Amino acid sequence: MTVREFYEFMCEKIPPELSLVGDCDGLCCCPDPEREVTNVLIALDATDDVVNEAIEDGADVILTHHPMIYGKIEGPVKGEYHADKIIKLIKNDISVMGFHTRLDAVDGGVNDMLAHLLGLENIEKFGEGNIGRIGDLPKDMTAEELAIFTRDTLGAPKVELADHGRPIRRVAVVGGSGSSEVYAALFAGADAFVTGDLKFHELTDAPDFGMTLIAAGHFYTENPVCARLFELAAEAGAVPTITFSNRIKTV
């Protein structure tokens, strides 16, 4: 299977029409669309460390959740960090493809993975582009119980909790930055909303508008989807590996 064919396969599984307007995912770098794909390196982000690992491992494709470049660059000029990364990829004939908001929204993607990890039942879609998921816990939890369960299940070093003080049964989830979906979660009937990142004022106001908020970290709420990308790469006939690419530490 060539890079072009591999990308077409991935687009069949994660359709471009699911991407939110303005997203910049897809084929981020492709020196040779006819290169045969044997080895695929999977990561949340195509950082310079990941690119170097791909070179060392002889990977043909880096497959990520986040786009390698947000917005535009004014021509790849050596010395600019995006440009240096692109030049390195081209010299080593490595393609990069990222599946962003469409991977959030697609069945079996970021938010389905997160909902299932948290043990939610009766799962439904909500939010812009049906990007979020909402479902029921098997039994009521307190906010602190849910926060600890979320932290431990995702392997996060900590979570931020804003507790509205009532038992929780119905939980909404959005991996990554979920600030834009807080009120959608509330209107969907959530007792609690679990996401990666939240703003201070959202956390401060949550008890007043009647919903518990839990911020468990951008990386930890999205990284589980790498297992799904692994499955898809293997289904395409490649030999996939996953790299742990979190650069952000808790100290």
Side-chain angles (χ1 to χ4, degrees):
M1 180 176 284
T2 65
V3 172
R4 174 180 51 78
E5 291 168 335
F6 181 65
Y7 182 63
E8 290 171 352
F9 170 86
M10 293 298 298
C11 286
E12 288 177 4
K13 301 294 185 179
I14 314 170
E17 55 266 26
L18 294 178
S19 292
L20 296 182
V21 174
D23 202 357
C24 52
D25 71 351
L27 200 54
C28 307
C29 178
C30 183
D32 181 5
E34 302 307 315
R35 176 171 179 168
E36 287 294 317
V37 176
T38 302
N39 297 323
V40 175
L41 183 62
I42 297 163
L44 204 64
D45 299 273
T47 62
D48 199 51
D49 294 338
V50 169
V51 171
N52 290 335
E53 186 173 339
I55 293 168
E56 292 172 6
D57 293 350
D60 310 299
V61 171
I62 299 172
L63 183 57
T64 68
H65 172 43
H66 293 134
M68 185 174 70
I69 299 170
Y70 289 90
K72 297 180 180 180
I73 59 171
E74 298 299 326
V77 178
K78 187 173 176 60
E80 194 273 330
Y81 76 98
H82 279 320
D84 287 347
K85 190 184 299 184
I86 292 168
I87 292 167
K88 188 184 298 185
L89 288 163
I90 291 172
K91 283 183 176 180
N92 289 276
D93 200 9
I94 298 172
S95 294
V96 179
M97 49 190 76
F99 297 87
H100 192 212
T101 53
R102 58 170 129 167
L103 186 56
D104 291 323
V106 75
D107 291 344
V110 170
N111 293 313
D112 276 326
M113 295 283 289
L114 183 54
H116 287 296
L117 281 171
L118 296 181
L120 301 186
E121 303 170 341
N122 308 313
I123 296 169
E124 300 174 350
K125 300 175 182 179
F126 81 95
E128 183 183 6
N130 283 326
I131 214 165
R133 299 294 185 267
I134 185 168
D136 301 316
L137 293 167
K139 62 179 182 179
D140 287 358
M141 284 186 172
T142 66
E144 186 168 344
E145 286 171 340
L146 179 59
I148 292 170
F149 175 66
T150 299
R151 182 197 67 195
D152 294 347
T153 298
L154 300 181
K158 66 175 184 177
V159 300
E160 292 182 297
L161 167 65
D163 180 0
H164 74 14
R166 295 193 299 275
I168 295 166
R169 176 61 68 95
R170 195 143 177 83
V171 179
V173 300
V174 170
S177 297
S179 291
S180 62
E181 301 298 337
V182 169
Y183 290 103
L186 178 65
F187 297 144
D191 302 314
F193 179 47
V194 177
T195 188
D197 309 320
L198 287 167
K199 297 174 183 176
F200 172 80
H201 292 295
E202 291 161 350
L203 288 160
T204 301
D205 292 344
D208 295 339
F209 61 69
M211 186 169 66
T212 287
L213 296 183
I214 296 172
H218 200 117
F219 178 85
Y220 297 98
T221 55
E222 290 187 330
N223 196 56
V225 84
C226 288
R228 177 59 180 153
L229 294 176
F230 184 99
E231 291 175 352
L232 291 174
E235 185 180 338
V239 177
T241 54
I242 298 175
T243 184
F244 191 85
S245 61
N246 187 22
R247 285 181 161 182
I248 301 170
K249 308 299 181 185
T250 299
V251 297

